[in-house]
């Protein structure tokens, strides 16, 4: 069995020139998506089409309500969408069993066609290898370990608005590679780019927004049971929300960013639904090449009146930040293909097409880049408990 969606015309992220262009261009893209899916599977799956159209209506209404100052209405629109998927292990799952980071290795998500002795060792390796996360900051001076964590609550006045967080509310942003962190900071020079490796609680509940058209095509190409079919259909249903959060606006010096409206409300709704964070593909690279090196994890930090930091800070381990330029001076050799790596994305994806990224306009094998070598170098450093650092 298969679902013939054949999505090929909906790459992300999309780019618009001005903030005022965002809503109109998004609406057109969503309408095109609705029309396309209707033509492809409308007769076979009318209920799915109905849900997709409802989710699109709610997405549009969210933006319009926000523009009109009806913030609670905008919030309810996103809540109406997300509530449908909180029990789906493909959409919401602990970080250590989340599709965004483990792919289909998790047994609940593994296609039945691959559940046999031939593929078990591959998926077991994907499931059991430690995940790797990195956080970067830029600075002329050496950044201290404690300053690599979220901004403390007593300094919330310096917290800027970001894609999944609003001004004044701390959020911890991590990436699955130093390359992904470098992208998010706008490609800083090596002498300013400082990175730490992080180990985080495995049971953090995460919303998976790392869905792209190529993934949907792959999942829909061979389906053996209703469970697999429902994963594909739910992916098609929630895809409009991912489209809405995957826009880049070229206009600079803006005080307000329309493309952040839905992302920020998603994080607020997640808090109500007891979801700790959001996994999403970088919006600074075509989604096809963003997975798995440029997956970002945004963790909302709930206020802790008894401490300056997250109440789960004692579960965080991190390395001292290291300048990329210092690493390059000490060790400039790239990694060697097919060696054993400590980094999750280096080791698990070293042999396939997911080892490809776009760097300086060229397609490169990630494990042959200096960023990949930097990942490995960071993982070999000593990890410190954050609570000990803050004493």
């Amino acid at each position: 069995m298969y679902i013939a969606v054949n999505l090929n015309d909906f790459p992300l992220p999309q780019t618009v020139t001005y903030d005022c262009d965002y809503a109109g261009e998004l609406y057109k893209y969503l309408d095109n998506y609705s029309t396309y899916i209707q033509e492809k599977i409308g007769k076979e799956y009318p209920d799915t089409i109905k849900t997709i159209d409802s989710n699109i209506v709610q997405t549009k209404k969210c933006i319009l309500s926000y523009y009109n100052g009806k913030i609670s209405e905008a919030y309810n629109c996103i809540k109406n969408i997300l509530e449908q998927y909180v029990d789906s292990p493909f959409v919401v799952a602990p970080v250590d069993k989340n599709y965004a980071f483990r792919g289909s290795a998790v047994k609940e998500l593994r296609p039945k066609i691959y559940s046999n002795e031939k593929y078990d060792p591959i998926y077991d390796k994907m499931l059991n290898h430690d995940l790797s996360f990195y956080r970067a900051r830029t600075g002329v001076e050496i950044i201290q370990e404690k300053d690599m964590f979220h901004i403390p609550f007593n300094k919330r006045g310096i917290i800027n608005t970001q894609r999944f967080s609003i001004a004044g509310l701390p959020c911890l942003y991590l990436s699955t590679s130093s390359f992904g962190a470098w992208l998010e900071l706008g490609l800083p020079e090596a002498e300013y780019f400082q990175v730490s490796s992080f180990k985080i609680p495995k049971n953090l509940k995460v919303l998976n927004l790392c869905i792209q058209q190529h993934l949907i095509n792959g999942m829909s190409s061979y389906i053996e049971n209703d469970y697999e079919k429902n994963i594909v259909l739910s992916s098609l249903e929630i895809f409009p929300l991912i489209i809405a959060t995957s826009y880049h606006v070229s206009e600079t010096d803006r005080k307000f960013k329309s493309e952040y409206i839905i992302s920020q409300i998603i994080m607020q709704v997640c808090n109500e639904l007891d979801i700790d964070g959001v996994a999403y593909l970088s919006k600074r690279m075509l989604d096809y090449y963003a997975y798995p090196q440029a997956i970002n994890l945004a963790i909302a930090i709930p206020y802790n009146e008894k401490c300056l930091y997250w109440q789960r800070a004692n579960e965080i381990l991190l390395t001292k930040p290291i300048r990329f330029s210092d690493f390059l001076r000490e060790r400039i050799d790239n990694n060697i293909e097919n060696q054993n790596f400590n980094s999750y994305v280096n080791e698990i994806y070293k042999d396939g097409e997911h080892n490809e990224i776009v760097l300086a306009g060229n397609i490169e094998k990630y494990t042959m880049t200096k960023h990949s070598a930097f990942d490995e170098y960071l993982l070999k450093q000593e990890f410190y408990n954050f609570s000990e650092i803050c004493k």
Side-chain angles (χ1 to χ4, degrees):
M1 177 183 175
Y2 67 94
I3 300 177
V5 287
N6 301 317
L7 289 175
N8 294 303
D9 297 321
F10 299 93
L12 299 171
Q14 289 292 295
T15 299
V16 296
T17 303
Y18 299 107
D19 190 277
C20 61
D21 298 331
Y22 166 71
E25 291 301 316
L26 170 62
Y27 295 173
K28 291 178 186 177
Y29 210 63
L30 292 175
D31 289 343
N32 290 340
Y33 176 74
S34 175
T35 299
Y36 181 88
I37 298 299
Q38 171 68 48
E39 293 174 351
K40 285 291 184 179
I41 65 169
K43 293 181 180 179
E44 294 83 1
Y45 302 101
D47 289 342
T48 297
I49 298 301
K50 183 178 179 180
T51 302
I52 289 173
D53 287 343
S54 174
N55 288 349
I56 289 176
V57 169
Q58 294 284 347
T59 300
K60 292 179 178 180
K61 183 180 177 182
C62 172
I63 296 172
L64 183 60
S65 296
Y66 195 97
Y67 282 165
N68 281 298
K70 299 177 180 179
I71 309 303
S72 61
E73 286 188 11
Y75 179 93
N76 287 332
C77 289
I78 301 305
K79 183 181 177 182
N80 290 339
I81 296 175
L82 289 182
E83 281 183 324
Q84 303 172 85
Y85 309 103
V86 290
D87 294 324
S88 168
F90 179 72
V91 180
V92 178
V95 64
D96 205 46
K97 294 184 178 181
N98 198 290
Y99 189 95
F101 307 108
R102 295 292 189 187
S104 54
V106 181
K107 290 186 178 180
E108 292 86 348
L109 302 178
R110 192 178 305 178
K112 186 177 179 181
I113 189 176
Y114 297 125
S115 296
N116 54 53
E117 294 181 357
K118 177 180 178 181
Y119 294 100
D120 281 347
I122 298 173
Y123 283 113
D124 287 345
K125 180 179 180 181
M126 289 178 66
L127 189 58
N128 296 319
H129 195 287
D130 286 341
L131 295 174
S132 311
F133 292 98
Y134 302 86
R135 177 165 168 80
R137 291 188 61 189
T138 57
V140 176
E141 303 296 331
I142 292 293
I143 297 173
Q144 301 301 309
E145 295 101 305
K146 68 181 182 68
D147 294 323
M148 293 300 289
F149 204 36
H150 70 79
I151 295 174
F153 298 120
N154 66 341
K155 294 184 179 179
R156 64 173 67 249
I158 66 172
I159 300 175
N160 294 321
T161 183
Q162 298 184 67
R163 185 172 289 274
F164 280 90
S165 52
I166 62 178
L169 298 183
C171 192
L172 182 64
Y173 284 86
L174 304 171
S175 183
T176 50
S177 71
S178 62
F179 172 72
W182 182 65
L183 286 177
E184 295 309 300
L185 290 178
L187 318 184
E189 296 294 330
E191 61 265 31
Y192 306 122
F193 183 55
Q194 303 182 47
V195 187
S196 291
S197 180
F198 271 68
K199 293 182 180 180
I200 63 176
K202 295 181 178 181
N203 61 352
L204 290 177
K205 207 175 196 180
V206 174
L207 172 68
N208 170 28
L209 295 185
C210 297
I211 301 171
Q212 36 146 302
Q213 60 178 8
H214 305 288
L215 171 61
I216 294 174
N217 286 344
M219 293 189 301
S220 63
S221 61
Y222 196 92
I223 298 171
E224 292 203 9
N225 52 48
D226 287 341
Y227 182 78
E228 294 177 10
K229 180 182 70 176
N230 289 335
I231 286 179
V232 174
L233 296 180
S234 64
S235 298
L236 292 170
E237 291 170 5
I238 202 172
F239 195 56
L241 195 63
I242 294 169
I243 291 174
T245 61
S246 301
Y247 269 72
H248 175 74
V249 179
S250 302
E251 183 182 2
T252 58
D253 299 324
R254 289 178 294 152
K255 302 297 183 183
F256 172 74
K257 297 185 177 182
S258 290
E259 74 274 24
Y260 287 8
I261 292 174
I262 291 179
S263 300
Q264 292 173 351
I265 294 177
I266 284 175
M267 186 63 89
Q268 295 171 54
V269 172
C270 281
N271 182 56
E272 181 179 345
L273 299 177
D274 295 323
I275 299 171
D276 299 296
V278 178
Y280 62 101
L281 298 173
S282 173
K283 310 311 174 189
R284 296 176 180 268
M285 175 177 285
L286 188 65
D287 57 2
Y288 180 81
Y289 292 104
Y291 190 93
Q293 291 84 6
I295 299 173
N296 298 318
L297 173 60
I299 303 171
I301 306 299
Y303 179 56
N304 182 0
E305 61 183 11
K306 297 181 180 180
C307 186
L308 295 178
Y309 295 97
W310 188 21
Q311 61 184 6
R312 300 189 67 173
N314 63 331
E315 301 176 59
I316 298 292
L317 299 175
L318 71 159
T319 63
K320 292 182 179 180
I322 295 176
R323 290 181 188 273
F324 193 30
S325 57
D326 291 342
F327 161 74
L328 294 175
R329 279 191 290 270
E330 291 183 18
R331 176 183 173 182
I332 61 173
D333 59 307
N334 290 346
N335 287 327
I336 300 172
E337 282 189 285
N338 301 319
Q339 73 175 57
N340 291 325
F341 298 107
N342 290 315
S343 160
Y344 186 84
V345 297
N346 286 342
E347 176 61 21
I348 298 302
Y349 298 103
K350 62 186 179 184
D351 297 321
E353 62 180 305
H354 287 304
N355 192 24
E356 294 182 341
I357 61 166
V358 177
L359 183 61
N362 299 313
I363 298 175
E364 307 280 354
K365 290 187 176 181
Y366 184 67
T367 49
M368 298 301 290
T369 67
K370 292 181 175 64
H371 280 286
S372 172
F374 192 31
D375 296 345
E376 298 299 320
Y377 182 80
L378 289 164
L379 287 172
K380 291 177 182 177
Q381 307 308 305
E382 184 175 358
F383 281 82
Y384 299 89
N385 184 284
F386 182 78
S387 294
E388 294 297 320
I389 293 171
C390 287
K391 284 185 177 180

